Amino acid sequence: WEGQKEQSQESVQSMMTGLGIALVAMYILLTLQFTSYLQPVLIMMIIPFGAIGAIAGHAILGLPVTMFSLFGLVALTGVVVNDSIVLIDFINARIGEGLPPRQAVIEAGQRRFRPVLLTSVTTVAGLTPILMETSLQAQFLIPMATSLCFGIVTATVLVLLLVPTFYSLLDHYFNISHAQIGRAHV
């Protein structure tokens, strides 16, 4: 038991190290893509909200958080970042076309709502059969599917609400739309 516990701790520690490296790499790539230091922070600020949904999903289903749950959380990070990128990129494109930031944010919420929602719904629909499976083999994957499904549902709602809100706040205080957009979409 002691050896197994030590091995589990090493696995969790190495996974957290890998997650940290992945987050730094994401930030660097997003900084290069958006030519901004603040917009990647805005995109990555949504990640913890997905984790809240994943933990809530485990509580709702009465499942313990396992190693596979943590794998699901790592995978969830990519999905949440992707949804945020869809909105931020659309906002930047509209501002690059000359729209005022407030109008660009509103239009992004209206025009990107369906693509963000459909991406999340199809992912959750694809994972739902795993959640319903009762076979012994599936029992190992159910915590990972739970993290992904509940995290995606929570994060999607919050991405659609918080990304435009955070963008507006950052633009108001740091003028992020005018400082970087001209260079990013020339």
Side-chain angles (χ1 to χ4, degrees), residues 68-83:
F68 284 99
S69 303
L70 298 178
F71 292 152
L73 282 172
V74 172
L76 176 64
T77 302
V79 175
V80 171
V81 165
N82 187 42
D83 285 348

Side-chain angles (χ1 to χ4, degrees), residues 94-101 103-104 107 178:
R94 290 297 181 245
I95 291 172
E97 293 170 1
L99 257 65
Q103 189 176 350
E107 190 174 324
H178 299 295

Side-chain angles (χ1 to χ4, degrees), residues 101-122:
R102 180 176 167 84
Q103 189 176 350
V105 167
I106 291 169
E107 190 174 324
Q110 292 170 342
R111 303 245 340 249
R112 298 285 93 190
F113 174 80
R114 196 168 91 183
V116 168
L117 187 66
L118 287 175
T119 301
S120 299
V121 167
T122 55

Side-chain angles (χ1 to χ4, degrees), residues 29-179:
L29 291 172
L30 290 169
T31 300
L32 294 172
Q33 175 65 33
F34 290 111
T35 62
S36 168
Y37 294 107
L38 288 175
Q39 287 186 0
V41 171
L42 171 66
I43 290 168
M44 296 175 75
M45 284 171 48
I46 304 299
I47 293 171
F49 294 106
I52 291 169
I55 300 302
H58 280 77
I60 290 168
L61 296 180
L63 296 172
V65 176
T66 66
M67 184 68 73
F68 284 99
S69 303
L70 298 178
F71 292 152
L73 282 172
V74 172
L76 176 64
T77 302
V79 175
V80 171
V81 165
N82 187 42
D83 285 348
S84 299
I85 289 171
V86 167
L87 285 174
I88 297 293
D89 188 53
F90 190 86
I91 293 169
N92 288 344
R94 290 297 181 245
I95 291 172
E97 293 170 1
L99 257 65
R102 180 176 167 84
Q103 189 176 350
V105 167
I106 291 169
E107 190 174 324
Q110 292 170 342
R111 303 245 340 249
R112 298 285 93 190
F113 174 80
R114 196 168 91 183
V116 168
L117 187 66
L118 287 175
T119 301
S120 299
V121 167
T122 55
T123 304
V124 170
L127 289 168
T128 301
I130 295 173
L131 289 175
M132 303 300 170
E133 185 61 44
T134 57
S135 70
L136 181 61
Q137 295 87 351
Q139 298 306 307
F140 295 106
L141 296 176
I142 289 175
M144 182 172 61
T146 300
S147 290
L148 277 167
C149 283
F150 284 89
I152 287 171
V153 167
T154 304
T156 298
V157 171
L158 293 174
V159 160
L160 290 168
L161 294 172
L162 295 179
V163 167
T165 302
F166 290 162
Y167 192 98
S168 295
L169 287 172
L170 283 175
D171 186 56
H172 178 73
Y173 290 109
F174 297 104
N175 202 17
I176 62 172
S177 63
H178 299 295

